[in-house]
Amino acid sequence: MKTQIVGACLAILGFLGTILICALPMWKVSAFIQSNIITAQVFWEGLWMNCVFQSTGQSQCKNYDSVLALPQELQASRALICVSIAVSVVAIGLTVVGARCTSFFDYDQLTKSNAGIAGGVVFIIAGIVCIIPVSWSAYSIITGFYNPVATTGSQGELGASIYLGWVSGALLVIGGITLCTTYRCCRG
């Protein structure tokens, strides 16, 4: 039962991380420093908005004006991260039903075990669905950075949300695998 709780905690941490990367505008970070250091600006781009932070302490964030004007990669990333969050909610429900420490389906251990395994599998799916847009965005940012034709304004570096997205996806997958391995009995 301890392993089951550890797996659920890992997966829930991954779920919370996925919510965090969805909300934070830190997917792509770029800095613009003019000839004098006083006017340095840092640009953060996320799934839903972009922000400008100036060295004077002022910051300004703006939601994207139109969904259709966004690059296809960003539109797909938005959708996949939202799908990952929704799938994680389903996985949490299945895990609660299948957990040995709950009283759901106590009269039918096979159904309880199947619900727990399904919760683990759905967590693995949520992790993969989280890792895909994060890796796709990282690839896009890296190729844009090394593109010799790109302007300095379009070049950026990987933001904290990319790294957190990889960790969140890994936690979802590891938590799901851990949950699946705790259900060995009740087959026949």
Side-chain angles (χ1 to χ4, degrees), residues 5 30 43 65 92 101-102 112 131-132 154:
I5 292 171
S30 52
F43 298 95
D65 293 329
I92 290 171
C101 59
T102 63
K112 187 175 187 79
I131 290 171
I132 290 170
S154 66

mmCIF file of all heavy atoms in Angstrom, residues 5 30 43 65 92 101-102 112 131-132 154:
data_model
loop_
_atom_site.group_PDB
_atom_site.id
_atom_site.type_symbol
_atom_site.label_atom_id
_atom_site.label_comp_id
_atom_site.label_asym_id
_atom_site.label_seq_id
_atom_site.Cartn_x
_atom_site.Cartn_y
_atom_site.Cartn_z
ATOM 1 N N ILE A 5 0.694 4.572 -2.566
ATOM 2 C CA ILE A 5 0.601 5.972 -2.153
ATOM 3 C C ILE A 5 1.734 6.783 -2.771
ATOM 4 O O ILE A 5 1.523 7.921 -3.217
ATOM 5 C CB ILE A 5 0.594 6.076 -0.611
ATOM 6 C CG1 ILE A 5 -0.713 5.483 -0.064
ATOM 7 C CG2 ILE A 5 0.750 7.515 -0.152
ATOM 8 C CD1 ILE A 5 -0.757 5.338 1.432
ATOM 9 N N SER A 30 13.592 35.400 -23.820
ATOM 10 C CA SER A 30 14.594 36.098 -24.626
ATOM 11 C C SER A 30 14.902 37.439 -23.968
ATOM 12 O O SER A 30 14.032 38.070 -23.378
ATOM 13 C CB SER A 30 14.118 36.292 -26.065
ATOM 14 O OG SER A 30 12.846 36.890 -26.095
ATOM 15 N N PHE A 43 11.884 39.110 -22.249
ATOM 16 C CA PHE A 43 10.586 38.723 -22.807
ATOM 17 C C PHE A 43 10.301 37.272 -22.446
ATOM 18 O O PHE A 43 11.141 36.401 -22.668
ATOM 19 C CB PHE A 43 10.596 38.880 -24.332
ATOM 20 C CG PHE A 43 10.823 40.287 -24.800
ATOM 21 C CD1 PHE A 43 12.104 40.721 -25.124
ATOM 22 C CD2 PHE A 43 9.778 41.174 -24.910
ATOM 23 C CE1 PHE A 43 12.331 42.015 -25.537
ATOM 24 C CE2 PHE A 43 9.991 42.471 -25.331
ATOM 25 C CZ PHE A 43 11.269 42.889 -25.653
ATOM 26 N N ASP A 65 -3.834 38.072 -28.795
ATOM 27 C CA ASP A 65 -5.036 38.696 -29.339
ATOM 28 C C ASP A 65 -5.966 37.695 -30.022
ATOM 29 O O ASP A 65 -7.169 37.731 -29.830
ATOM 30 C CB ASP A 65 -4.656 39.803 -30.332
ATOM 31 C CG ASP A 65 -3.971 40.966 -29.635
ATOM 32 O OD1 ASP A 65 -4.295 41.220 -28.457
ATOM 33 O OD2 ASP A 65 -3.115 41.609 -30.260
ATOM 34 N N ILE A 92 -6.898 10.508 -11.713
ATOM 35 C CA ILE A 92 -7.017 10.668 -10.259
ATOM 36 C C ILE A 92 -8.292 9.987 -9.764
ATOM 37 O O ILE A 92 -8.285 9.281 -8.753
ATOM 38 C CB ILE A 92 -6.978 12.158 -9.867
ATOM 39 C CG1 ILE A 92 -5.569 12.725 -10.087
ATOM 40 C CG2 ILE A 92 -7.419 12.363 -8.420
ATOM 41 C CD1 ILE A 92 -5.470 14.229 -9.949
ATOM 42 N N CYS A 101 -6.612 1.747 -0.005
ATOM 43 C CA CYS A 101 -6.965 2.457 1.223
ATOM 44 C C CYS A 101 -8.362 3.077 1.169
ATOM 45 O O CYS A 101 -8.771 3.742 2.111
ATOM 46 C CB CYS A 101 -5.916 3.519 1.538
ATOM 47 S SG CYS A 101 -5.710 4.749 0.240
ATOM 48 N N THR A 102 -9.089 2.898 0.072
ATOM 49 C CA THR A 102 -10.461 3.400 -0.023
ATOM 50 C C THR A 102 -11.434 2.227 0.035
ATOM 51 O O THR A 102 -11.053 1.073 -0.152
ATOM 52 C CB THR A 102 -10.678 4.183 -1.333
ATOM 53 O OG1 THR A 102 -10.496 3.312 -2.448
ATOM 54 C CG2 THR A 102 -9.718 5.357 -1.435
ATOM 55 N N LYS A 112 -11.949 -3.436 -8.438
ATOM 56 C CA LYS A 112 -11.124 -2.432 -7.764
ATOM 57 C C LYS A 112 -9.709 -2.433 -8.344
ATOM 58 O O LYS A 112 -9.137 -1.380 -8.623
ATOM 59 C CB LYS A 112 -11.091 -2.728 -6.268
ATOM 60 C CG LYS A 112 -10.408 -1.682 -5.434
ATOM 61 C CD LYS A 112 -10.555 -2.041 -3.968
ATOM 62 C CE LYS A 112 -10.049 -0.974 -3.063
ATOM 63 N NZ LYS A 112 -10.960 0.133 -2.892
ATOM 64 N N ILE A 131 4.498 15.460 -22.335
ATOM 65 C CA ILE A 131 5.872 15.522 -22.841
ATOM 66 C C ILE A 131 5.910 15.920 -24.322
ATOM 67 O O ILE A 131 6.828 16.623 -24.754
ATOM 68 C CB ILE A 131 6.580 14.172 -22.594
ATOM 69 C CG1 ILE A 131 6.841 13.986 -21.095
ATOM 70 C CG2 ILE A 131 7.891 14.086 -23.365
ATOM 71 C CD1 ILE A 131 7.341 12.619 -20.718
ATOM 72 N N ILE A 132 4.922 15.513 -25.094
ATOM 73 C CA ILE A 132 4.920 15.807 -26.543
ATOM 74 C C ILE A 132 4.951 17.311 -26.829
ATOM 75 O O ILE A 132 5.835 17.780 -27.558
ATOM 76 C CB ILE A 132 3.740 15.101 -27.238
ATOM 77 C CG1 ILE A 132 3.972 13.593 -27.268
ATOM 78 C CG2 ILE A 132 3.522 15.649 -28.646
ATOM 79 C CD1 ILE A 132 2.764 12.789 -27.727
ATOM 80 N N SER A 154 13.304 37.202 -32.638
ATOM 81 C CA SER A 154 12.593 35.924 -32.664
ATOM 82 C C SER A 154 13.386 34.802 -32.009
ATOM 83 O O SER A 154 12.861 33.729 -31.803
ATOM 84 C CB SER A 154 12.258 35.547 -34.109
ATOM 85 O OG SER A 154 13.444 35.301 -34.838
#
